[in-house]
Amino acid sequence: MGEDNNTPEEHRPSKHAKVPAAAVPLLGIAAVLSGVLIAYLNRDFTGWFAYAPLSNKPFVANGAAFVTQGTQIGLAVMVAGLLVLAFWAGYRLGRMGRSGQE
């Protein structure tokens, strides 16, 4: 009763839900590239040499950051872009697999 109304040919997604096919991967690639650029430009060249002969105290470098906050932000943006690309690839593979089954 009413099953003939549920044919796949008649099901069309709304126009508001459509996103251009290239928008999501381009967003992911842009995030990865900008994250790499941010991390590269915010790197810190810190070099030091310490010599303390016969010292009974351990050396503690308070406030020494070998990975700056800008580098951490750049890496986080890059990881977010990679997650977007992974989600998009999984979604596309799932859609291709589902369209072959009937």
Side-chain angles (χ1 to χ4, degrees):
M1 194 169 179
E3 289 182 26
D4 49 338
N5 290 336
N6 295 331
T7 59
E9 293 82 24
E10 293 179 9
H11 177 69
R12 295 185 183 158
S14 67
K15 291 184 181 183
H16 299 289
K18 286 189 177 181
V19 175
V24 175
L26 287 177
L27 177 69
I29 290 171
V32 169
L33 291 177
S34 63
V36 168
L37 185 65
I38 291 169
Y40 180 75
L41 293 177
N42 287 308
R43 63 184 181 201
D44 190 15
F45 295 107
T46 318
W48 55 271
F49 179 81
Y51 180 67
L54 303 174
S55 174
N56 291 332
K57 295 182 185 178
F59 174 72
V60 179
N62 292 330
F66 295 106
V67 180
T68 63
Q69 186 177 9
T71 302
Q72 292 173 357
I73 291 170
L75 293 175
V77 170
M78 184 180 64
V79 167
L82 289 173
L83 286 173
V84 167
L85 288 174
F87 173 77
W88 176 79
Y91 178 75
R92 294 289 293 177
L93 286 174
R95 295 277 297 176
M96 286 183 357
R98 191 173 7 155
S99 65
Q101 298 174 354
E102 289 192 36

